[in-house]
Amino acid sequence: MKYIFISIVFCCASLLGIAQNDSLSNSLKIELQSYKFNGAILVETVEIPLIRKKALAIDIKADHWDTTVHNPYIDTFQKFPVELNFTDTTFASPVPHTKVITSRYGWRRGRPHNGIDIDLVTGDSVSTILDGIVRFARYTNGFGNAVVVRHYNGLESTYAHLSHIGVKVNDTLVRGQYIGKGGNTGNSRGSHLHLELSYKGEQIHPEYLFDFSSKNAIRSQQVWVTQKWTHARFHNSRRVSKVKVIKSADEAALLSLAKKPRMYVVKKGDTLYGISRQNNMSISRLCKTNAINKSSPLKIGQKLVLEP
């Protein structure tokens, strides 16, 4: 009977071992019985090796793997909400010092700013925030020297305005690994790192997914992204957006039905005064919503966000 019991325990322990995390012990010790011998208490144990579950291989190069363009999804349409999953609870800081965000994701000077700007000095090291593979590493208009890393959940991170690129396409990286040096290349008004996050070509507000404080925390290992967090017009580059992470499909579907802000396209002869009167908004509110000044010149075709 004793050996039958041991066999049962062994099977159970093996099944348990399949679900164990890699950070746990490689074996499982089980007490079978204890008894006295010459006044001492002896414990009979059996040590069983745990069977590990191997991570499934994910081919992140299978979909739109183009190393020559920044956005290979330009001709595709991604429907939202979409679910993203993370295996980690923290990310690696892209810069080696305290992160100071000088411009946030949102509307800026009448145009969308689709990432966050992190202060640095030219020559500072820049690192990838998560494990992944380099999909793009070259100079491109606007971004200057840029590196795009595709991560294993489909998310891509872009590191722009670099003074030096230290990786090449198809390099496999681990989070925190050096990818280049910060700089001021491309359309840039001073040394900084422009960091963008995107999923299948659609930019996502970086601060919705990550806490850029010293915690370096991923806000949730399961997160639903709605269009509110994929369009700059819902946010202001000068203000911190209030983040409430959506963790269920039902909540994401409900919030996707929320009323969206109206847009106004500037025409010839338009003035801030005329636009504000026409749309029942004060000039100050119109300026604050669009991160512009009352003296800012308007350009034909410029888009302005109108609050209801």
Side-chain angles (χ1 to χ4, degrees):
M1 289 296 294
K2 175 180 177 181
Y3 295 106
I4 295 176
F5 175 72
I6 293 176
S7 298
I8 294 173
V9 171
F10 179 81
C11 293
C12 292
S14 297
L15 292 174
L16 178 64
I18 294 176
Q20 297 298 307
N21 185 283
D22 287 342
S23 63
L24 300 180
S25 172
N26 291 322
S27 63
L28 182 66
K29 293 182 180 180
I30 299 177
E31 292 186 9
L32 297 180
Q33 64 177 352
S34 59
Y35 53 89
K36 291 184 178 180
F37 181 76
N38 291 337
I41 298 178
L42 302 179
V43 179
E44 187 175 352
T45 63
V46 60
E47 185 170 354
I48 303 170
L50 294 178
I51 301 174
R52 298 297 183 196
K53 179 181 179 181
K54 295 183 178 179
L56 295 176
I58 301 175
D59 184 7
I60 61 176
K61 295 183 178 181
D63 180 35
H64 289 76
W65 187 261
D66 190 332
T67 61
T68 63
V69 295
H70 173 254
N71 181 12
Y73 296 96
I74 193 68
D75 295 323
T76 66
F77 175 75
Q78 177 59 43
K79 187 177 179 180
F80 286 87
V82 67
E83 181 185 16
L84 287 177
N85 292 283
F86 296 89
T87 56
D88 297 312
T89 57
T90 60
F91 66 95
S93 174
V95 294
H97 48 74
T98 300
K99 297 178 290 298
V100 177
I101 299 177
T102 57
S103 185
R104 294 187 140 80
Y105 179 99
W107 215 246
R108 186 176 72 175
R109 296 189 291 274
R111 299 178 58 187
H113 183 236
N114 291 316
I116 61 173
D117 292 344
I118 302 175
D119 192 31
L120 52 67
V121 176
T122 296
D124 282 351
S125 295
V126 174
S127 305
T128 178
I129 56 176
L130 297 170
D131 297 351
I133 301 177
V134 178
R135 183 184 61 75
F136 180 90
R138 60 191 299 177
Y139 187 94
T140 183
N141 290 336
F143 287 136
N145 292 324
V147 172
V148 178
V149 180
R150 182 174 293 182
H151 308 292
Y152 293 98
N153 60 356
L155 192 70
E156 288 193 336
S157 56
T158 297
Y159 311 82
H161 307 314
L162 303 177
S163 61
H164 171 74
I165 295 175
V167 292
K168 58 184 183 300
V169 295
N170 297 313
D171 280 353
T172 299
L173 307 176
V174 296
R175 66 175 186 167
Q177 187 168 337
Y178 169 82
I179 60 172
K181 295 180 180 180
N184 189 31
T185 59
N187 185 13
S188 173
R189 298 185 177 185
S191 298
H192 69 278
L193 171 66
H194 177 78
L195 174 66
E196 282 191 11
L197 298 180
S198 61
Y199 180 78
K200 295 189 176 180
E202 296 287 345
Q203 286 88 5
I204 299 175
H205 196 318
E207 292 178 273
Y208 177 64
L209 300 178
F210 301 135
D211 177 358
F212 285 90
S213 70
S214 58
K215 296 178 181 178
N216 291 339
I218 297 174
R219 294 195 188 274
S220 178
Q221 289 184 286
Q222 180 187 43
V223 56
W224 283 85
V225 182
T226 61
Q227 285 192 323
K228 175 182 178 181
W229 299 102
T230 64
H231 289 286
R233 66 177 181 269
F234 292 98
H235 308 274
N236 188 313
S237 65
R238 294 181 180 177
R239 297 200 299 263
V240 178
S241 297
K242 294 181 180 179
V243 175
K244 181 183 178 182
V245 177
I246 305 168
K247 299 180 182 180
S248 72
D250 291 341
E251 184 182 5
L254 182 63
L255 291 175
S256 293
L257 301 176
K259 189 175 182 180
K260 298 176 174 59
R262 296 175 295 129
M263 303 293 293
Y264 182 85
V265 180
V266 176
K267 302 185 295 293
K268 184 178 180 179
D270 275 339
T271 63
L272 284 174
Y273 176 77
I275 296 171
S276 64
R277 286 285 299 273
Q278 181 181 342
N279 293 280
N280 297 317
M281 287 182 68
S282 67
I283 293 179
S284 59
R285 190 63 180 170
L286 184 64
C287 291
K288 185 176 181 180
T289 300
N290 291 277
I292 58 176
N293 299 317
K294 293 181 180 180
S295 59
S296 298
L298 297 178
K299 299 178 180 179
I300 297 175
Q302 179 179 342
K303 294 180 181 179
L304 299 176
V305 178
L306 305 175
E307 291 189 349

